[in-house]
């Protein structure tokens, strides 16, 4: 009976490919969180409330809603 040689597998190449997929997914999630923050983004500047009274903290368009509602957690 002939002795079988183990087939050579390029484990380093497979490992590199797997790490590339994982790093791409992490980068995609980070990019998505930066573009669309949790709670959405403010659409317009607000300096007064619905009654016309000036707001204590003015809201700037483009900032995350969660940053105003839950500042410490954000």
């Amino acid at each position: 009976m002939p002795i079988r040689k183990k087939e050579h597998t390029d484990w380093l190449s497979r490992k590199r490919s797997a790490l590339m997929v994982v790093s791409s997914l992490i980068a995609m999630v980070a990019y998505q969180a930066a573009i669309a923050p949790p709670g959405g983004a403010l659409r317009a500047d607000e300096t007064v409330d619905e009654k016309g009274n000036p707001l204590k903290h003015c809201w700037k368009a483009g900032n995350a809603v969660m940053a105003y509602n839950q500042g410490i957690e954000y």
Side-chain angles (χ1 to χ4, degrees):
M1 180 193 253
I3 299 174
R4 296 181 109 195
K5 290 184 177 179
K6 281 189 172 181
E7 291 184 23
H8 177 67
T9 56
D10 190 5
W11 65 272
L12 187 59
S13 177
R14 288 185 296 148
K15 186 76 75 174
R16 188 181 315 126
S17 296
L19 287 173
M20 184 61 77
V21 169
V22 170
S23 64
S24 296
L25 289 174
I26 291 171
M28 192 168 35
V29 169
Y31 180 76
Q32 181 65 26
I35 297 300
L42 297 171
R43 296 176 191 241
D45 291 343
E46 292 187 23
T47 56
V48 294
D49 63 4
E50 57 274 351
K51 296 179 183 178
N53 300 324
L55 291 173
K56 184 177 181 182
H57 301 286
C58 297
W59 292 18
K60 300 283 185 187
N63 290 343
V65 172
M66 191 174 175
Y68 289 102
N69 294 337
Q70 300 170 342
I72 295 172
E73 291 85 1
Y74 184 72

